[in-house]
Amino acid sequence: MKRSIGKYGIWNGGGLRGEDPSLRGERAEAAAELEELGFGAIWLGGSSSAANAAPLLDATSRIVVGTSIQSIWDHEPETAAASFTDLNAAHSGRFLLGLGVSHAKLAEQYRRPYSALVAYLDALDKAGVPAEGRALAALGPRTIELARDRAAGSIPYLITAEQTAASRELLGEAPLLAPELKVVLETDPARARTLARDSLAVYLGLPNYTNNFLRNGFTEDDLKDGGSDRLVDAVYAWGTDDRIRARIDEFTEAGADHVALQIVDGGPRSSLPRQAWRKLASLLA
């Protein structure tokens, strides 16, 4: 899987996983262009599923499409397993099932998330989904170790380069480590940080993320007023092309096999920021 997804991918929370049939052609064109631009993977945000990935796989021939993440509370494991098997049979193993426990505020049935995730993996095993075909959105040490032992690896969201290094140490050398990183193509510090804080606000209301920040060296003060400059600068790449490239390189140098890049531009979640994706491909070339 490391080889097949390359060093860089695109994470998109709304546009590419949309379900409006009138925009299916535009989504397909965007996916095909990402493949031509050289990105190795498309990561579908929200509680995405195989159904969201299928049209993008139909429109492409090489790029991997992964869920980032499919909530274990929203899809029964047997159904997820059947979709996984069918989709990979049709598309040469290019679908990666990214799983996570979501958040208590978003899942009414949220209880004992770690135990529930273990039980979900047990059910996937029974249904024939191989460990190398799934990855876990792992933040805490126990879940990182679970990603090491029972999945292809970890696809953590909203982490720093420093936590990437710590995750690599826990995972060991072989498993996949593919963190998400938000990119603001803006050189003005005030404007860049304003855009970052606008997108960060929702995550600062979710304890899974705030607890992870506190566990990794940030303080309560860093979480106030939309996030301190220190926090924003640690989880967003912004500035000149050279500065953004250097920030991305920090993650690979810290042990990431692949970085899932999310454009943050203030636009609606349903947008397809194709010009920005082209700019990213250019600065990564």
Coordinates of all heavy atoms in Angstrom, one line a residue, residues 78-152:
E78 N -20.4 -6.0 8.4 CA -20.7 -6.9 7.4 C -21.0 -6.2 6.1 O -20.6 -6.6 5.0 CB -21.9 -7.8 7.8 CG -21.6 -8.7 9.0 CD -21.6 -8.0 10.3 OE1 -22.2 -6.9 10.4 OE2 -21.2 -8.6 11.3
T79 N -21.8 -5.1 6.1 CA -22.1 -4.3 5.0 C -20.8 -3.7 4.4 O -20.6 -3.7 3.2 CB -23.1 -3.2 5.3 OG1 -24.3 -3.9 5.8 CG2 -23.5 -2.4 4.1
A80 N -20.0 -3.1 5.3 CA -18.7 -2.5 4.9 C -17.8 -3.5 4.2 O -17.1 -3.2 3.2 CB -18.0 -1.9 6.1
A81 N -17.8 -4.7 4.8 CA -16.9 -5.8 4.2 C -17.4 -6.1 2.8 O -16.5 -6.3 1.9 CB -16.9 -7.0 5.1
A82 N -18.7 -6.3 2.6 CA -19.2 -6.7 1.3 C -18.9 -5.6 0.3 O -18.4 -5.9 -0.9 CB -20.7 -6.9 1.4
S83 N -19.0 -4.3 0.7 CA -18.7 -3.2 -0.2 C -17.2 -3.2 -0.6 O -16.8 -2.9 -1.7 CB -19.2 -1.9 0.4 OG -20.6 -1.9 0.6
F84 N -16.4 -3.4 0.5 CA -15.0 -3.4 0.3 C -14.6 -4.5 -0.7 O -13.8 -4.2 -1.7 CB -14.3 -3.7 1.6 CG -12.8 -4.0 1.5 CD1 -11.9 -2.9 1.6 CD2 -12.3 -5.2 1.3 CE1 -10.5 -3.2 1.5 CE2 -11.0 -5.5 1.2 CZ -10.1 -4.4 1.3
T85 N -15.1 -5.7 -0.6 CA -14.8 -6.8 -1.4 C -15.2 -6.5 -2.9 O -14.4 -6.7 -3.8 CB -15.4 -8.1 -0.9 OG1 -14.9 -8.3 0.4 CG2 -15.1 -9.2 -1.8
D86 N -16.4 -6.0 -3.1 CA -16.9 -5.8 -4.4 C -16.1 -4.7 -5.1 O -15.8 -4.8 -6.3 CB -18.4 -5.4 -4.3 CG -19.3 -6.6 -3.9 OD1 -18.8 -7.7 -3.9 OD2 -20.5 -6.3 -3.6
L87 N -15.9 -3.6 -4.4 CA -15.2 -2.5 -5.0 C -13.8 -2.8 -5.4 O -13.3 -2.4 -6.4 CB -15.2 -1.3 -4.0 CG -15.1 0.1 -4.6 CD1 -16.1 0.4 -5.7 CD2 -15.3 1.2 -3.5
N88 N -13.1 -3.5 -4.5 CA -11.7 -3.8 -4.8 C -11.6 -4.9 -5.9 O -10.6 -4.9 -6.7 CB -10.9 -4.3 -3.6 CG -10.4 -3.1 -2.8 OD1 -9.7 -2.3 -3.4 ND2 -10.7 -3.1 -1.5
A89 N -12.6 -5.8 -6.0 CA -12.6 -6.7 -7.1 C -12.8 -6.0 -8.5 O -12.2 -6.4 -9.5 CB -13.7 -7.7 -6.9
A90 N -13.5 -4.9 -8.4 CA -13.8 -4.2 -9.7 C -12.7 -3.2 -10.1 O -12.6 -2.8 -11.2 CB -15.1 -3.4 -9.5
H91 N -11.9 -2.8 -9.1 CA -10.9 -1.8 -9.3 C -9.5 -2.1 -8.8 O -8.8 -1.3 -8.3 CB -11.4 -0.5 -8.6 CG -12.6 0.1 -9.2 ND1 -12.7 0.7 -10.4 CD2 -13.9 0.0 -8.8 CE1 -13.9 1.0 -10.7 NE2 -14.7 0.6 -9.7
S92 N -9.1 -3.3 -9.0 CA -7.7 -3.8 -8.8 C -7.1 -3.4 -7.5 O -6.0 -3.0 -7.4 CB -6.8 -3.2 -9.9 OG -7.3 -3.5 -11.2
G93 N -8.0 -3.5 -6.4 CA -7.5 -3.2 -5.1 C -7.2 -1.8 -4.8 O -6.4 -1.5 -3.9
R94 N -7.8 -0.8 -5.4 CA -7.5 0.6 -5.2 C -8.3 1.3 -4.2 O -8.2 2.5 -4.0 CB -7.6 1.3 -6.6 CG -6.6 1.0 -7.6 CD -6.6 2.0 -8.8 NE -7.8 1.9 -9.6 CZ -8.6 2.9 -9.9 NH1 -8.3 4.1 -9.4 NH2 -9.6 2.7 -10.7
F95 N -9.2 0.5 -3.5 CA -10.0 1.1 -2.4 C -9.4 0.8 -1.1 O -9.1 -0.4 -0.8 CB -11.4 0.6 -2.5 CG -12.3 1.1 -1.4 CD1 -12.5 2.5 -1.1 CD2 -12.9 0.2 -0.5 CE1 -13.3 2.9 -0.1 CE2 -13.6 0.6 0.6 CZ -13.9 2.0 0.8
L96 N -9.2 1.8 -0.2 CA -8.7 1.6 1.1 C -9.7 2.0 2.1 O -10.2 3.1 2.1 CB -7.4 2.4 1.3 CG -6.7 2.3 2.7 CD1 -6.3 0.8 3.0 CD2 -5.6 3.2 2.9
L97 N -10.1 1.1 3.0 CA -11.1 1.3 4.0 C -10.5 2.0 5.2 O -9.9 1.4 6.1 CB -11.8 0.0 4.4 CG -12.9 0.1 5.4 CD1 -14.0 1.0 4.9 CD2 -13.4 -1.3 5.7
G98 N -10.6 3.3 5.3 CA -10.1 4.1 6.5 C -11.2 4.2 7.5 O -12.4 4.6 7.2
L99 N -10.9 3.7 8.7 CA -11.9 3.6 9.8 C -11.6 4.5 11.0 O -10.4 4.7 11.2 CB -12.0 2.2 10.3 CG -12.5 1.1 9.3 CD1 -12.2 -0.3 9.8 CD2 -13.9 1.3 8.9
G100 N -12.6 4.9 11.7 CA -12.4 5.7 12.9 C -13.6 5.6 13.8 O -14.7 5.2 13.4
V101 N -13.5 6.1 15.0 CA -14.6 6.1 16.0 C -15.4 7.4 16.0 O -16.3 7.5 16.8 CB -14.0 5.8 17.4 CG1 -13.4 4.4 17.4 CG2 -13.1 6.9 17.9
S102 N -15.0 8.4 15.2 CA -15.8 9.6 15.1 C -15.7 10.3 16.5 O -14.7 10.3 17.2 CB -17.2 9.4 14.6 OG -17.9 10.6 14.4
H103 N -16.9 10.9 16.9 CA -16.9 11.7 18.1 C -18.2 11.6 18.8 O -19.2 11.4 18.2 CB -16.7 13.2 17.8 CG -15.4 13.5 17.0 ND1 -14.2 13.7 17.6 CD2 -15.2 13.5 15.6 CE1 -13.3 13.8 16.6 NE2 -13.9 13.7 15.5
A104 N -18.2 11.7 20.1 CA -19.4 11.6 20.9 C -20.5 12.5 20.5 O -21.7 12.2 20.5 CB -19.1 11.8 22.4
K105 N -20.1 13.7 20.1 CA -21.1 14.7 19.6 C -21.8 14.4 18.3 O -22.8 14.9 18.0 CB -20.5 16.1 19.5 CG -20.1 16.7 20.8 CD -19.5 18.1 20.6 CE -19.2 18.8 21.9 NZ -18.7 20.2 21.7
L106 N -21.1 13.5 17.6 CA -21.6 13.2 16.2 C -22.2 11.8 16.1 O -22.8 11.5 15.1 CB -20.5 13.3 15.2 CG -19.7 14.6 15.2 CD1 -18.6 14.5 14.1 CD2 -20.6 15.7 14.8
A107 N -22.1 11.0 17.1 CA -22.6 9.6 17.1 C -23.4 9.3 18.4 O -22.8 9.2 19.5 CB -21.5 8.6 16.9
E108 N -24.7 9.2 18.3 CA -25.5 9.0 19.5 C -25.1 7.7 20.2 O -25.2 7.7 21.5 CB -27.0 8.9 19.0 CG -28.0 8.8 20.2 CD -29.4 8.8 19.7 OE1 -29.7 9.2 18.5 OE2 -30.3 8.4 20.5
Q109 N -24.7 6.7 19.5 CA -24.4 5.4 20.1 C -23.0 5.3 20.6 O -22.5 4.2 21.0 CB -24.7 4.3 19.2 CG -23.9 4.2 17.9 CD -24.4 5.0 16.8 OE1 -24.7 6.2 16.9 NE2 -24.6 4.4 15.6
Y110 N -22.2 6.4 20.6 CA -20.8 6.4 21.0 C -20.6 5.9 22.4 O -21.1 6.6 23.4 CB -20.3 7.9 20.9 CG -18.8 8.1 21.0 CD1 -18.1 8.2 19.8 CD2 -18.2 8.2 22.2 CE1 -16.7 8.4 19.9 CE2 -16.8 8.5 22.3 CZ -16.1 8.5 21.1 OH -14.7 8.8 21.1
R111 N -20.0 4.8 22.6 CA -19.8 4.1 23.9 C -18.5 3.3 23.8 O -18.3 2.6 22.8 CB -20.9 3.2 24.3 CG -22.3 3.8 24.5 CD -22.4 4.7 25.7 NE -23.8 5.1 25.9 CZ -24.4 6.0 25.2 NH1 -23.8 6.7 24.2 NH2 -25.7 6.3 25.4
R112 N -17.6 3.4 24.8 CA -16.4 2.6 24.8 C -15.8 2.5 23.4 O -15.7 1.4 22.8 CB -16.7 1.3 25.4 CG -17.2 1.3 26.8 CD -17.4 0.0 27.4 NE -16.2 -0.7 27.5 CZ -16.0 -2.0 27.8 NH1 -17.1 -2.7 28.1 NH2 -14.8 -2.6 27.9
P113 N -15.3 3.6 22.8 CA -14.9 3.6 21.4 C -13.8 2.6 21.1 O -13.8 2.0 20.0 CB -14.5 5.1 21.2 CG -14.2 5.6 22.5 CD -15.2 4.9 23.4
Y114 N -12.8 2.5 22.0 CA -11.7 1.6 21.7 C -12.2 0.1 21.6 O -11.9 -0.6 20.6 CB -10.6 1.7 22.7 CG -9.4 0.7 22.4 CD1 -8.4 1.1 21.5 CD2 -9.4 -0.5 23.1 CE1 -7.4 0.2 21.3 CE2 -8.3 -1.4 22.8 CZ -7.3 -1.0 21.9 OH -6.3 -1.9 21.6
S115 N -13.0 -0.3 22.5 CA -13.6 -1.6 22.5 C -14.5 -1.8 21.3 O -14.5 -2.9 20.7 CB -14.4 -1.9 23.8 OG -13.5 -1.9 24.9
A116 N -15.2 -0.8 21.0 CA -16.1 -0.9 19.8 C -15.3 -1.1 18.5 O -15.6 -1.8 17.6 CB -17.0 0.3 19.7
L117 N -14.2 -0.4 18.4 CA -13.3 -0.5 17.3 C -12.7 -1.9 17.1 O -12.6 -2.5 16.1 CB -12.2 0.6 17.3 CG -11.2 0.6 16.1 CD1 -11.9 0.8 14.8 CD2 -10.2 1.8 16.3
V118 N -12.3 -2.4 18.3 CA -11.7 -3.8 18.3 C -12.8 -4.8 17.8 O -12.5 -5.6 17.0 CB -11.2 -4.1 19.7 CG1 -10.8 -5.6 19.7 CG2 -10.0 -3.3 20.0
A119 N -14.0 -4.6 18.3 CA -15.0 -5.5 17.9 C -15.3 -5.4 16.4 O -15.6 -6.4 15.7 CB -16.3 -5.3 18.7
Y120 N -15.3 -4.2 15.9 CA -15.5 -3.9 14.5 C -14.4 -4.6 13.6 O -14.7 -5.3 12.6 CB -15.5 -2.4 14.2 CG -16.2 -2.0 13.0 CD1 -17.5 -1.6 13.0 CD2 -15.5 -2.0 11.7 CE1 -18.2 -1.1 11.8 CE2 -16.2 -1.6 10.6 CZ -17.5 -1.1 10.6 OH -18.1 -0.7 9.5
L121 N -13.2 -4.5 14.1 CA -12.1 -5.2 13.3 C -12.3 -6.7 13.4 O -12.0 -7.4 12.4 CB -10.8 -4.8 13.9 CG -10.4 -3.3 13.7 CD1 -9.1 -3.0 14.4 CD2 -10.3 -3.0 12.2
D122 N -12.7 -7.2 14.5 CA -13.0 -8.7 14.6 C -14.0 -9.1 13.6 O -13.9 -10.1 12.9 CB -13.5 -9.0 16.0 CG -12.5 -8.9 17.1 OD1 -11.3 -8.8 16.8 OD2 -12.9 -8.8 18.3
A123 N -15.1 -8.3 13.4 CA -16.1 -8.6 12.5 C -15.6 -8.5 11.0 O -16.0 -9.3 10.2 CB -17.3 -7.7 12.7
L124 N -14.7 -7.5 10.8 CA -14.1 -7.4 9.4 C -13.3 -8.6 9.1 O -13.2 -9.2 8.0 CB -13.3 -6.1 9.3 CG -14.1 -4.8 9.3 CD1 -13.2 -3.6 9.1 CD2 -15.2 -4.8 8.2
D125 N -12.5 -9.1 10.1 CA -11.7 -10.3 10.0 C -12.6 -11.5 9.6 O -12.3 -12.2 8.6 CB -11.0 -10.6 11.3 CG -9.8 -9.7 11.6 OD1 -9.4 -9.0 10.7 OD2 -9.4 -9.7 12.8
K126 N -13.7 -11.6 10.3 CA -14.6 -12.7 10.1 C -15.2 -12.7 8.7 O -15.4 -13.7 8.0 CB -15.7 -12.7 11.1 CG -16.6 -13.9 11.1 CD -17.6 -13.9 12.2 CE -18.5 -15.1 12.2 NZ -19.5 -15.1 13.3
A127 N -15.4 -11.4 8.2 CA -16.0 -11.3 6.9 C -14.9 -11.3 5.7 O -15.3 -11.1 4.6 CB -16.7 -9.9 6.8
G128 N -13.7 -11.4 6.1 CA -12.7 -11.6 5.0 C -12.0 -10.3 4.6 O -11.3 -10.4 3.6
V129 N -12.1 -9.2 5.3 CA -11.4 -8.0 4.9 C -10.0 -8.1 5.5 O -9.8 -8.2 6.7 CB -12.1 -6.7 5.5 CG1 -11.2 -5.5 5.2 CG2 -13.5 -6.6 4.9
P130 N -8.9 -8.1 4.6 CA -7.6 -8.3 5.1 C -7.1 -7.0 5.8 O -7.5 -5.9 5.5 CB -6.8 -8.5 3.8 CG -7.5 -7.8 2.8 CD -9.0 -7.9 3.1
A131 N -6.2 -7.2 6.8 CA -5.6 -6.1 7.5 C -5.0 -5.0 6.6 O -5.1 -3.8 6.9 CB -4.6 -6.6 8.5
E132 N -4.4 -5.5 5.5 CA -3.7 -4.5 4.7 C -4.7 -3.7 3.8 O -4.3 -2.7 3.2 CB -2.7 -5.2 3.7 CG -3.3 -6.3 2.8 CD -3.3 -7.7 3.4 OE1 -3.3 -7.8 4.6 OE2 -3.4 -8.6 2.6
G133 N -5.9 -4.0 3.9 CA -6.9 -3.3 3.1 C -7.6 -2.2 4.0 O -8.5 -1.5 3.4
R134 N -7.2 -2.0 5.2 CA -7.9 -1.1 6.1 C -6.8 -0.3 6.8 O -5.7 -0.7 7.1 CB -8.8 -1.8 7.0 CG -8.2 -2.7 8.0 CD -9.1 -3.8 8.4 NE -8.5 -4.6 9.5 CZ -8.8 -5.8 9.9 NH1 -9.8 -6.4 9.2 NH2 -8.3 -6.4 10.9
A135 N -7.2 0.9 7.2 CA -6.3 1.8 8.0 C -7.2 2.5 9.1 O -8.4 2.7 8.9 CB -5.6 2.8 7.1
L136 N -6.5 2.9 10.2 CA -7.2 3.5 11.3 C -6.8 4.9 11.5 O -5.6 5.3 11.4 CB -7.0 2.7 12.6 CG -7.2 1.2 12.6 CD1 -7.0 0.6 14.0 CD2 -8.6 0.9 12.1
A137 N -7.8 5.8 11.8 CA -7.6 7.2 12.1 C -7.2 7.2 13.6 O -8.0 7.4 14.5 CB -8.8 8.0 11.9
A138 N -5.9 7.0 13.8 CA -5.4 6.7 15.2 C -4.7 8.0 15.8 O -3.8 8.5 15.2 CB -4.4 5.6 15.2
L139 N -5.2 8.4 16.9 CA -4.6 9.6 17.6 C -3.8 9.1 18.9 O -2.7 9.5 19.1 CB -5.6 10.6 18.0 CG -6.3 11.3 16.8 CD1 -7.4 12.3 17.3 CD2 -5.3 12.1 15.9
G140 N -4.5 8.4 19.7 CA -3.9 8.0 21.0 C -3.0 6.7 20.9 O -3.1 6.0 19.9
P141 N -2.2 6.5 21.8 CA -1.2 5.4 21.7 C -1.8 4.0 21.5 O -1.4 3.2 20.7 CB -0.5 5.5 23.1 CG -0.6 6.9 23.5 CD -1.9 7.3 23.0
R142 N -2.9 3.7 22.2 CA -3.5 2.4 22.1 C -4.1 2.2 20.7 O -4.0 1.1 20.1 CB -4.7 2.2 23.1 CG -4.2 2.0 24.5 CD -5.3 1.2 25.3 NE -6.6 1.9 25.3 CZ -7.7 1.3 25.7 NH1 -7.7 0.0 26.1 NH2 -8.8 2.0 25.7
T143 N -4.7 3.2 20.1 CA -5.2 3.0 18.8 C -4.1 3.0 17.7 O -4.2 2.3 16.7 CB -6.2 4.2 18.5 OG1 -7.1 4.3 19.5 CG2 -7.0 3.9 17.2
I144 N -3.0 3.7 18.0 CA -1.9 3.6 17.1 C -1.3 2.2 17.1 O -1.0 1.6 16.0 CB -0.8 4.6 17.5 CG1 -1.3 6.1 17.3 CG2 0.5 4.4 16.7 CD1 -0.4 7.1 17.9
E145 N -1.2 1.6 18.3 CA -0.8 0.2 18.3 C -1.7 -0.7 17.7 O -1.3 -1.7 17.0 CB -0.5 -0.2 19.8 CG 0.7 0.6 20.4 CD 0.8 0.4 21.9 OE1 -0.2 -0.1 22.5 OE2 1.8 0.8 22.5
L146 N -3.0 -0.4 17.8 CA -4.0 -1.3 17.1 C -3.9 -1.1 15.6 O -4.0 -2.1 14.8 CB -5.4 -0.8 17.5 CG -6.6 -1.7 17.1 CD1 -6.5 -3.1 17.8 CD2 -7.9 -1.0 17.5
A147 N -3.6 0.1 15.1 CA -3.3 0.3 13.7 C -2.1 -0.5 13.2 O -2.0 -1.0 12.1 CB -3.1 1.8 13.4
R148 N -1.1 -0.6 14.1 CA 0.1 -1.4 13.8 C -0.2 -2.9 13.7 O 0.3 -3.5 12.8 CB 1.1 -1.1 14.9 CG 2.4 -1.9 14.8 CD 3.2 -1.9 16.1 NE 2.5 -2.5 17.2 CZ 2.7 -2.3 18.5 NH1 3.6 -1.4 18.9 NH2 2.0 -2.9 19.4
D149 N -1.0 -3.4 14.6 CA -1.2 -4.8 14.7 C -2.3 -5.4 13.9 O -2.3 -6.5 13.5 CB -1.4 -5.2 16.2 CG -0.3 -4.8 17.1 OD1 0.9 -4.7 16.6 OD2 -0.5 -4.6 18.3
R150 N -3.3 -4.5 13.5 CA -4.5 -5.1 12.9 C -5.0 -4.3 11.7 O -6.1 -4.4 11.2 CB -5.6 -5.2 13.9 CG -5.2 -6.0 15.2 CD -6.4 -6.5 15.9 NE -7.4 -7.2 15.1 CZ -8.6 -7.5 15.5 NH1 -9.0 -7.2 16.7 NH2 -9.4 -8.1 14.7
A151 N -4.1 -3.5 11.1 CA -4.4 -2.7 9.9 C -3.2 -2.4 9.1 O -2.1 -2.8 9.6 CB -5.1 -1.4 10.3
A152 N -3.4 -1.8 8.0 CA -2.2 -1.4 7.2 C -1.4 -0.3 7.8 O -0.2 -0.2 7.6 CB -2.7 -0.9 5.8

